[in-house]
Amino acid sequence: MYLALYRKYRPNDFDKVVGQEHITRTLRNQIKNDQIGHAYLFCGSRGTGKTSTAKVFARAVNCLSPRDGSPCGECEVCKALKQNNAIDIMEIDAASNNGVEEIRELRDKVKYPPTVGRFKVYIIDEVHMLTTSAFNALLKTLEEPPAHALFILATTEVHKLPATILSRVLRFDFKLIPTDTIAKLITKVLASSEIKAEPEAVNLIAYSGQGSVRDALSIADMCASFANNDIKYSDVVEVLGISDSDTIYKLGSSILNQDVAGFFKQFEAIVKAGKNLLVIASDLTKFYRDLLVLKTCGVKFVEYSDAMLEKM
């Protein structure tokens, strides 16, 4: 079975977690200094590495000989925790297990010690989906868990968590990943998978990810399939249903020049090409925004080809 790129290249140590050095450095130091907390909160936008970091951390705290705070991947505990049936790392989807009964069941299971490692780690994803009663049932366990239990809560909507939960966890905020960082990662991933891609295509994929590594890799996956592993800029444009920068430039210029006939000519071509008009509106808004930024702040704040920058 084909394995999606974002799954195939999921980080297995802290070195491979991109764009979150402020978090991975802290977690490494906690492991090296044996100052591991009992409850953590990982919050931030989707695809920024929350669950991946939680899994790496869960293995690292149990590793017999961690390397610079990361799991070695070679000791018997690391090998055991890599198995799909490992029960010392429990992943719970709060979106589908959000009731008080599920949390009470979890609370009863917490007292059982780990089978191979030092800690039994509970990763609760989308924790903001828990009901008020479920949060109340979780409170006491978070406050005074058994010495062998470690909780990692992950959420994209931290504002929905009660203050009583926030006061009992160590909070880490995951940032959106910069476009250039995502572009470097995509280039490396595609090369490892023997997939060719134009630099302009990679930059567009990275930008379209909007700070999410997972979203960008998913787009790259679709583009690779569409282009038969030789991705051109036009392929990305076609897959995403957007218009290329030249089309948007002509459309925007027609409006600025009050060229009604020219505008409708461009617009008709876009409609016949089956483009999503909401996406076109968004692209046009971005074009005008970038013109203002270019005029005010200079080239370093916008991302276009040299030829397009000259036109703009």
Side-chain angles (χ1 to χ4, degrees), residues 23 39-43 158-159 166 168-173:
I23 293 174
Y40 294 79
L41 173 63
F42 291 174
C43 49
V158 67
H159 59 279
L166 295 175
R168 288 166 168 81
V169 298
L170 295 175
R171 173 173 170 173
F172 292 87
D173 289 273

Side-chain angles (χ1 to χ4, degrees), residues 84-231:
N84 292 330
N85 59 353
I87 61 173
D88 283 356
I89 301 178
M90 304 290 294
E91 291 187 58
I92 302 164
D93 178 20
S96 53
N97 298 280
N98 61 355
V100 66
E101 291 303 323
E102 286 88 347
I103 299 302
R104 284 175 179 165
E105 184 180 348
L106 169 64
R107 191 173 60 186
D108 292 338
K109 290 180 178 178
V110 164
K111 59 186 178 183
Y112 297 113
T115 57
V116 295
R118 178 183 171 192
F119 292 97
K120 196 159 190 176
V121 184
Y122 296 86
I123 302 173
I124 306 179
D125 203 9
E126 301 298 340
V127 70
H128 64 273
M129 300 290 286
L130 292 180
T131 63
T132 301
S133 299
F135 273 126
N136 290 334
L138 186 61
L139 277 177
K140 190 65 176 177
T141 304
L142 282 182
E143 191 171 33
E144 298 177 0
H148 61 262
L150 191 156
F151 288 88
I152 304 176
L153 315 181
T155 180
T156 54
E157 301 184 47
V158 67
H159 59 279
K160 292 185 178 181
L161 270 63
T164 47
I165 293 290
L166 295 175
S167 65
R168 288 166 168 81
V169 298
L170 295 175
R171 173 173 170 173
F172 292 87
D173 289 273
F174 284 68
K175 303 181 295 185
L176 290 172
I177 315 299
T179 299
D180 59 341
T181 302
I182 297 178
K184 291 177 182 177
L185 176 65
I186 291 174
T187 300
K188 186 176 180 180
V189 166
L190 293 180
S192 299
S193 301
E194 297 183 348
I195 299 172
K196 298 178 182 179
E198 293 178 345
E200 294 82 3
V202 171
N203 290 336
L204 182 56
I205 291 172
Y207 176 81
S208 300
Q210 297 184 330
S212 167
V213 171
R214 185 175 62 236
D215 287 1
L217 287 175
S218 295
I219 293 170
D221 228 340
M222 290 189 294
C223 293
S225 297
F226 176 82
N228 197 22
N229 293 340
D230 188 4
I231 307 173

Side-chain angles (χ1 to χ4, degrees), residues 144-312:
E144 298 177 0
H148 61 262
L150 191 156
F151 288 88
I152 304 176
L153 315 181
T155 180
T156 54
E157 301 184 47
V158 67
H159 59 279
K160 292 185 178 181
L161 270 63
T164 47
I165 293 290
L166 295 175
S167 65
R168 288 166 168 81
V169 298
L170 295 175
R171 173 173 170 173
F172 292 87
D173 289 273
F174 284 68
K175 303 181 295 185
L176 290 172
I177 315 299
T179 299
D180 59 341
T181 302
I182 297 178
K184 291 177 182 177
L185 176 65
I186 291 174
T187 300
K188 186 176 180 180
V189 166
L190 293 180
S192 299
S193 301
E194 297 183 348
I195 299 172
K196 298 178 182 179
E198 293 178 345
E200 294 82 3
V202 171
N203 290 336
L204 182 56
I205 291 172
Y207 176 81
S208 300
Q210 297 184 330
S212 167
V213 171
R214 185 175 62 236
D215 287 1
L217 287 175
S218 295
I219 293 170
D221 228 340
M222 290 189 294
C223 293
S225 297
F226 176 82
N228 197 22
N229 293 340
D230 188 4
I231 307 173
K232 303 288 193 299
Y233 179 85
S234 57
D235 297 324
V236 183
V237 168
E238 189 69 27
V239 168
L240 294 177
I242 61 177
S243 291
D244 61 87
S245 56
D246 192 56
T247 299
I248 295 298
Y249 173 82
K250 291 178 180 177
L251 194 65
S253 296
S254 297
I255 295 174
L256 290 175
N257 296 326
Q258 300 183 17
D259 180 7
V260 178
F263 169 80
F264 278 110
K265 182 179 179 180
Q266 291 292 325
F267 190 74
E268 182 185 25
I270 291 172
V271 172
K272 286 184 176 179
K275 302 296 183 182
N276 187 317
L277 298 187
L278 290 177
V279 175
I280 295 299
S282 176
D283 289 345
L284 195 56
T285 303
K286 176 184 177 298
F287 171 75
Y288 285 132
R289 173 260 184 197
D290 288 344
L291 279 180
L292 289 171
V293 171
L294 190 61
K295 180 179 179 181
T296 308
C297 306
V299 172
K300 64 179 291 186
F301 293 98
V302 295
E303 298 176 4
Y304 291 93
S305 66
D306 292 340
M308 182 54 63
L309 281 173
E310 186 64 31
K311 287 183 180 181
M312 292 171 69

